[in-house]
Amino acid sequence: MRILTGIQPSGILHIGNYFGAIKPILDLQGQGEVFVMLADLHALTSLQNAEALRENVRTAAIDLLACGLDPEHTTFWRQSEVAEHVELMWILTTVTPMGLMERMVAYKDKVQNGLSANVGLFTYPILQAADILAYDADLVPVGRDQKQHLEVTRDIAVKINEAYGEGTLKLPDAKISEDVAVVPGLDARKMSKSYGNTIDIFMEEKALRKRVMGIVTDSTPLEAPKDPDGSTIVDLYRLFAPPAEVQRMKDEFRAGGVGYGHFKQRLFEAVWDYYAPMRTRRDQILSKPRYVDEVLAEGARRARAVAQPTVERVWRAVGLR
Ligand code: ADP
Ligand code: TRP
């Protein structure tokens, strides 16, 4: 089984990104042939700053490897290094109905949120379809927000197959992680860079502690019982501590006599310990300046070896060869 996904390089990783996007992918390693691309061409639709783009791609690559992406077994590459994505995209655009693109909610959302309505942003789902179809992917793990893009990918593959013969492109299945909870931020809203309420996973110890201590709580006095349900502290602690420890914290909430500051300290320690092996790996990666480039170059080579024959097959099917 071939499992493929893409991640937009968008800067510093926070706990929400980790549990919502990174961990589900890492957990699939070993269950099939895993392909993970850094979608840098997609990033261009919303970031027009060369230095920032370079920096984001590098940070994303380092952080993913530090988190446990295993480049021995997982093909890990930059989308822009494999020209087949864009080549296939062009063919796909020629069968994609305008109406299909006009229904894309992600595009409308982005424009409503202030991104400029450029053609790249509009045709973004067709490039994503090419990302997937070029690899004959079986399974594509993505978040809920990408469900429509996966449906479109299948629609486009069907169009190609209707026009040029069954089997020209393989229809992929989406694996939507419905069970992945929305991780709350410091202010209990969804953790997001745009809300400034994040806990970043590779923060320095002092800064991390300060962030965790900054979780917004009510003014229940230390002695009084507290409600663990809906508490951001407990909800975050659940991600890092074994169930028995979570239960203990909940019991102590209800019993009273322990202040929020104490619980936050316990949460901080759990977060800090959880990411310790990843910090170590990150330091190792940073100590070898060429390592990341080598991994991505090797990944691109392996990716190309899969994408090239597929795109050839499509070129022949449509009559370009
Ligand atoms: P941000 O909202 O911080 O800008 P992105 O939109 O770049 O984050 O999200 C990148 C990935 O991380 C997406 O797959 C998204 O679903 C996931 N993600 C982001 N924030 C959270 C969160 N608070 N809880 C769960 N998943 C999240
Ligand atoms: N559009 C996806 C996102 O924003 C990223 C992406 C690009 C992707 N190409 C892909 C995801 C191919 C899955 C498969 O999250």
Side-chain angles (χ1 to χ4, degrees):
M1 182 168 63
R2 188 169 288 155
I3 303 166
L4 176 144
T5 197
I7 297 178
Q8 275 206 59
S10 61
I12 291 169
L13 278 190
H14 56 68
I15 290 174
N17 301 141
Y18 178 78
F19 286 99
I22 312 295
K23 191 168 179 294
I25 296 169
L26 300 179
D27 291 345
L28 287 167
Q29 293 189 125
Q31 294 185 33
E33 221 188 322
V34 181
F35 283 69
V36 178
M37 86 191 74
L38 287 173
D40 53 356
L41 295 174
H42 277 122
L44 258 188
T45 61
S46 54
L47 178 65
Q48 284 150 10
N49 177 325
E51 215 29 70
L53 181 60
R54 266 182 218 114
E55 187 59 36
N56 283 357
V57 169
R58 191 157 182 86
T59 307
I62 292 169
D63 289 355
L64 279 161
L65 291 165
C67 285
L69 191 144
D70 171 10
E72 291 283 320
H73 299 103
T74 295
T75 302
F76 181 45
W77 79 106
R78 296 174 70 149
Q79 186 186 31
S80 63
E81 282 197 63
V82 178
E84 278 74 9
H85 296 227
V86 178
E87 289 180 9
L88 179 59
M89 179 195 174
W90 176 254
I91 313 287
L92 303 185
T93 64
T94 63
V95 301
T96 306
M98 280 299 286
L100 191 62
M101 285 300 101
E102 279 160 359
R103 287 200 294 275
M104 294 297 101
V105 293
Y107 171 77
K108 288 180 207 161
D109 280 356
K110 285 177 183 170
V111 172
Q112 212 148 47
N113 285 321
L115 283 188
S116 82
N118 59 59
V119 176
L121 195 63
F122 185 68
T123 56
Y124 176 122
I126 314 181
L127 178 59
Q128 186 167 347
D131 293 341
I132 297 165
L133 298 172
Y135 294 86
D136 290 328
D138 296 294
L139 203 64
V140 184
V142 283
R144 256 164 290 191
D145 59 323
Q146 295 294 316
K147 193 165 179 235
Q148 198 182 28
H149 291 164
L150 263 294
E151 287 161 7
V152 159
T153 301
R154 289 175 62 95
D155 290 344
I156 294 175
V158 167
K159 287 271 177 207
I160 289 277
N161 290 348
E162 280 171 2
Y164 300 110
E166 273 321 304
T168 306
L169 286 173
K170 181 175 169 54
L171 269 60
D173 286 309
K175 183 179 189 305
I176 312 287
S177 28
E178 301 285 2
D179 51 336
V180 172
V182 172
V183 177
L186 302 180
D187 56 0
R189 288 189 293 172
K190 174 187 183 242
M191 188 178 287
S192 170
K193 277 187 287 293
S194 34
Y195 296 150
N197 63 356
T198 64
I199 299 173
D200 303 338
I201 72 178
F202 291 119
M203 271 182 155
E204 298 286 331
E205 182 169 5
K206 239 177 106 184
L208 182 72
R209 180 180 284 119
K210 199 162 163 225
R211 279 293 172 94
V212 173
M213 291 297 163
I215 292 173
V216 179
T217 46
D218 59 31
S219 53
T220 315
L222 189 145
E223 317 75 50
K226 302 170 183 65
D227 186 3
D229 298 322
S231 155
T232 306
I233 303 173
V234 176
D235 285 346
L236 289 173
Y237 193 59
R238 236 187 274 281
L239 298 168
F240 299 98
E245 284 300 308
V246 178
Q247 190 55 48
R248 185 164 74 91
M249 184 182 277
K250 285 167 78 173
D251 293 344
E252 289 178 20
F253 257 69
R254 290 200 184 93
V258 182
Y260 284 124
H262 180 88
F263 294 124
K264 289 180 191 175
Q265 175 64 27
R266 210 184 291 170
L267 169 62
F268 159 75
E269 279 160 19
V271 176
W272 182 251
D273 290 349
Y274 186 94
Y275 290 114
M278 301 170 206
R279 276 194 304 275
T280 305
R281 211 171 308 133
R282 190 161 181 275
D283 289 341
Q284 285 164 356
I285 293 168
L286 291 173
S287 72
K288 291 179 283 183
R290 290 213 318 282
Y291 175 72
V292 173
D293 294 331
E294 285 164 9
V295 164
L296 291 174
E298 170 60 16
R301 200 186 57 72
R302 270 152 51 183
R304 218 174 284 125
V306 177
Q308 242 161 16
T310 318
V311 173
E312 277 269 335
R313 187 174 80 217
V314 175
W315 280 47
R316 275 200 303 277
V318 303
L320 287 168
R321 287 292 179 276

